[in-house]
Amino acid sequence: MLARLIETHECDRHIRAARLRYRRRRELLLARLGPGPGQPLPGVALPGVAAGLRALLLLPDGGPAEVELLAEFERRGIALRAASPLWRGDGPGGLLIGYAAASERAYPHDLEALVRALAGT
């Protein structure tokens, strides 16, 4: 099976398509949550490179705490992870947002649900 995927270049096509799909999802995430007007939670940062299957959203000082946001997300059926367990010692509060698992049809809806939850609406 793997040999056939390699010989027919299906593996390459799949990888290219997946990279494009995840890049578009990350760009949409950055457009909705990144710095600028209309941001649902002013002062958050999305550091890192455009790679991988999740983004790190750093929470602003004086803003809502991870615990508060995670409780609200859970209430709304949104599964995210806290970033604080990833730090050695005290680090900034944040959230890990995965953008690979949702279907193509569900991702925009899921992202809007996340934006509404961050905005508290």
Side-chain angles (χ1 to χ4, degrees), residues 41-45 57-66 68-69 87 90-94:
L41 188 61
V44 300
L57 181 103
L58 296 177
L59 300 172
D61 290 335
E66 279 179 353
E68 296 168 10
L69 288 173
W87 308 118
D90 291 333

Side-chain angles (χ1 to χ4, degrees), residues 7-8 27 31 33 44 47-48 52 58 61 67-68 70-71 74 83-85 98-99 102-103 106 115 118:
E7 289 169 1
T8 63
E27 288 170 358
L33 298 179
V44 300
L58 296 177
D61 290 335
V67 171
E68 296 168 10
L70 290 172
E74 184 175 343
S84 58
Y99 48 85
S103 71
V115 168
L118 282 170

Side-chain angles (χ1 to χ4, degrees), residues 28-110:
L28 186 56
L29 178 74
L30 291 173
R32 294 297 287 131
L33 298 179
Q39 185 184 47
L41 188 61
V44 300
L46 285 157
V49 297
L53 303 176
R54 65 186 64 85
L56 173 62
L57 181 103
L58 296 177
L59 300 172
D61 290 335
E66 279 179 353
V67 171
E68 296 168 10
L69 288 173
L70 290 172
E72 178 62 18
F73 294 142
E74 184 175 343
R75 188 181 71 73
R76 293 176 183 234
I78 300 170
L80 297 179
R81 294 202 167 199
S84 58
L86 303 175
W87 308 118
R88 179 179 289 190
D90 291 333
L95 305 167
L96 288 175
I97 303 171
Y99 48 85
S103 71
E104 284 298 303
R105 290 182 82 182
Y107 184 73
H109 177 272
D110 294 348

